[in-house]
Amino acid sequence: MKPEDVRRIGVVGCGIMGSGIVEVCAKAGFEVVVVELNEEAMARGRSRVEGSMAKAVDRGKLEPGARDEALARIGDSTSLDDLADADLVIEAATESLETKLGIFARLDEIVRPDIVLATNTSSLPIAELATVTKRGDRIVGMHFFNPPPVMKLLEIVRALRTSEETLAFARGMGDRLGKTTVLAKDRAGFIVNFLLIPYLNSAIRMLDEGFATREDIDAAVELGLGHPMGPLKLLDLIGLDTGVHVSNVLYDEFKDPIYAAPTLLKRMVTAGYLGRKSGKGFYDYTS
Ligand code: CAA
C-alpha cells in the first residue's frame, strides 16, 4: 500500500489525542472510522471533534462548508470489526501496555495483512506491540502532539523490525496529513518527551520548593524563551496523569532520577487534579 492509495483510516480511541487525530485525518480528505469502547465514550469523542472544528471555524482556520464535509467523512463504531476495510489504522487508546497489546492482537486478526498498524503511544515500546502480531515489519509509531490539529509535528518511530517500506509509508502519510515528520528510534520518550519530561518535572520541583510562584514560572518561560505556554500550563493541557505515566516509563527505561515523577505531581493525580480535563490542575478551569 502506498500513501496515495489510502482512502480510509481507522482510529482506535477518541479521547484527547484520538479525537484530534480523527479531525486531522478527516480534514485531510480521508474517510475515518473511529472506534470507542462504548456509546457514551463515543458521544464524548464526537463532541470533542465538533468542538475543536467549531473553534477552527471561529479562528478562521476552516470554512464552515469544509467543516461539514469533514464531519460527514467520520463514521463511528464501538467494534474493532468495523476496521476490516481500513487502509491504515492509528491506535490512540489509553496509555496502558496491556490495553494496547489486546488491541493490536485483535487488529492483527481483523485488518488486511498488508496494512500498516500505527500507534500514537508517547512512550511505550513499539517492539512489544509488534510481538502480538504476525506483521512485525508493518508496525510503526506515529506520535502526534497535543492538540493534534494545531501542532505541526509527527514523530515517526521505528522499532527494530519496522521495514524501510513501512517507514516510507508512515512519512508519506504524515505529508498527506499536513505534518512535518521526524524520525526517532524506539526508545522511551522518543525525541520530544525525552527532552520535555525532565523540564516539566523541574518546574514542578521548583514550585514545590517555593522557589517561584506558578505564574512566575510560566511567565518566565513564555516571555524569556518564547514558548506559547509555560510548563505548568502545559502540564494542565497534557494531563497530570499522563505526566506521571510518561515520567514512570522514562524512569523505568533509564533509571535516571531526572525522569522520576515529582511527589507533588503524584499527589495531585491522587487527589483528582488532572489538569484541564478534570477542571483543576496547577490552575483552576471551573469558572
Ligand atoms: N483548530 C485549528 N487551529 C486552532 C485551534 C483549532 N481547534 N485552536 C487554536 N488554533 C490556532 C489558533 O488559530 C492560533 O493560530 P495562529 O497562531 O495562526 O493565529 C494558534 O492555534 C494558537 O491559538 P491561540 O493563541 O488562540 O491559543 P489557544 O489557547 O487556542 O491554543 C495552544 C493554545 C495551541 C495549545 C498553544 O498554547 C500551544 O501551542 N501550546 C503548546 C502546546 C504544546 O506544547 N503541545 C505539545 C504537548 S507535548 C505532547 O503532546 C507530547 C506528549 O506525548 C505528552
Side-chain angles (χ1 to χ4, degrees), residues 17 23 27 52-53 55-56 59 61 122 143-147 149-151 192-193 196 228-229 234 237-238 242 246 276:
M17 294 305 293
E23 179 179 342
K27 286 200 295 202
S52 173
M53 285 203 200
K55 195 169 167 188
R59 305 282 168 100
K61 302 277 176 194
S122 54
H143 182 217
F144 292 78
F145 290 81
N146 188 4
V150 181
M151 306 309 283
V192 173
N193 282 338
L196 179 68
M229 45 176 42
L234 183 56
L237 176 78
I238 295 170
T242 301
V246 180
R276 288 191 190 188

Side-chain angles (χ1 to χ4, degrees), residues 119-260:
T119 174
N120 178 57
T121 184
S122 54
S123 54
L124 297 170
I126 318 284
E128 205 156 337
L129 301 178
T131 61
V132 295
T133 73
K134 295 187 194 73
R135 62 180 93 192
D137 57 329
R138 261 152 288 149
I139 307 294
V140 69
M142 289 178 75
H143 182 217
F144 292 78
F145 290 81
N146 188 4
V150 181
M151 306 309 283
K152 296 185 175 67
L153 183 67
L154 179 64
E155 280 181 322
I156 303 294
V157 187
R158 175 181 207 167
L160 282 179
R161 293 172 61 201
T162 310
S163 68
E164 285 295 338
E165 204 185 344
T166 299
L167 220 52
F169 172 80
R171 296 200 90 153
M173 283 307 300
D175 293 343
R176 284 199 69 188
L177 294 172
K179 300 298 177 193
T180 298
T181 55
V182 293
L183 183 60
K185 283 189 183 169
D186 186 15
R187 194 182 76 166
F190 315 134
I191 297 174
V192 173
N193 282 338
F194 186 78
L195 297 171
L196 179 68
I197 292 297
Y199 150 70
L200 294 180
N201 288 346
S202 299
I204 300 167
R205 292 191 187 100
M206 212 178 219
L207 178 73
D208 202 19
E209 286 157 7
F211 183 81
T213 63
R214 62 180 186 185
E215 287 82 4
D216 283 0
I217 293 170
D218 280 341
V221 168
E222 286 162 24
L223 304 178
L225 294 175
H227 290 200
M229 45 176 42
L232 302 171
K233 284 185 201 161
L234 183 56
L235 274 155
D236 280 354
L237 176 78
I238 295 170
L240 275 58
D241 50 342
T242 301
V244 170
H245 174 78
V246 180
S247 298
N248 288 344
V249 172
L250 280 159
Y251 184 73
D252 274 357
E253 182 106 311
F254 303 112
K255 303 290 184 291
D256 184 328
I258 62 165
Y259 300 110

Side-chain angles (χ1 to χ4, degrees), residues 72-120:
R73 282 193 284 272
I74 303 171
D76 49 42
S77 165
T78 53
S79 167
L80 289 175
D81 292 335
D82 288 327
L83 300 183
D85 289 339
D87 302 318
L88 162 69
V89 177
I90 305 173
E91 171 276 322
T94 315
E95 222 27 25
S96 137
L97 184 59
E98 210 187 333
T99 305
K100 289 186 191 282
L101 287 173
I103 291 170
F104 271 76
R106 282 285 291 132
L107 287 176
D108 194 47
E109 289 166 1
I110 295 165
V111 181
R112 304 195 303 280
D114 58 316
I115 296 304
V116 169
L117 304 180
T119 174
N120 178 57

